[in-house]
Amino acid sequence: APMYLIVFDGHCMLCNRFIQKMLQNDKSAKFTFSTLQCLPSTIDQSTLQTSIQDSISYFRNGTWFQKSTAVLLIHKDLYGAFHWTQLAWFCPKLLRDSSYVFVAKHRYKWFGKKDSCKLPSKELEDRFL
């Protein structure tokens, strides 16, 4: 499995916007992506505890991360430890994850839902599993 794999809900418009932003800013092509709906069976999912609320999961250096921790680590790996998003680490995990779950539960209603996953362009095809 790739060292930096971001798994997202391919039907979620908020998740898709997040992934587009990651692709635009990931100049060194560090990250690999997969939708939750199309996650290959070759990926070790034994430690991946996903539910409909976990719209972003992050596989980093052999470990799965969920919810707010996943998002914060993705930002850290993309922008560095001194990016403003890293201030959220000072917020207790329970509060961070509660906020994450609240947004995740309402994401389709607030941001919209696609009927199918968007296929990556030819130039980005190799970044998706």
Side-chain angles (χ1 to χ4, degrees):
M3 192 184 285
Y4 301 98
L5 170 63
I6 299 172
V7 178
F8 65 102
D9 178 354
H11 297 292
C12 170
M13 294 297 289
L14 175 63
C15 303
N16 276 283
R17 285 187 210 134
F18 177 76
I19 297 306
Q20 287 306 313
K21 188 161 178 51
M22 295 298 104
L23 284 164
Q24 287 170 3
N25 293 307
D26 184 16
K27 304 297 183 210
S28 64
K30 174 185 255 185
F31 298 108
T32 306
F33 305 89
S34 177
T35 62
L36 194 53
Q37 293 81 1
C38 301
L39 190 61
S41 59
T42 54
I43 300 295
D44 176 18
Q45 300 176 39
S46 60
T47 57
L48 176 61
Q49 296 129 6
T50 56
S51 71
I52 194 67
Q53 295 172 350
D54 291 334
S55 48
I56 300 282
S57 297
Y58 186 36
F59 187 75
R60 177 185 193 249
N61 298 326
T63 305
W64 283 104
F65 296 94
Q66 308 292 325
K67 301 179 182 165
S68 65
T69 301
V71 174
L72 286 173
L73 286 173
I74 291 166
H75 279 92
K76 181 179 181 182
D77 289 342
L78 183 62
Y79 301 115
F82 298 104
H83 190 259
W84 65 268
T85 55
Q86 300 308 292
L87 292 172
W89 289 110
F90 292 107
C91 187
K93 186 177 187 315
L94 181 65
L95 187 59
R96 284 190 284 121
D97 281 349
S98 297
S99 301
Y100 179 97
V101 168
F102 181 75
V103 172
K105 276 185 180 173
H106 297 93
R107 69 185 186 272
Y108 295 144
K109 184 170 49 176
W110 294 345
F111 301 99
K113 182 179 180 179
K114 293 180 175 193
D115 291 333
S116 62
C117 302
K118 180 184 166 196
L119 293 173
S121 63
K122 282 284 184 215
E123 56 270 17
L124 295 175
E125 213 171 42
D126 61 332
R127 306 272 312 272
F128 286 78
L129 299 182

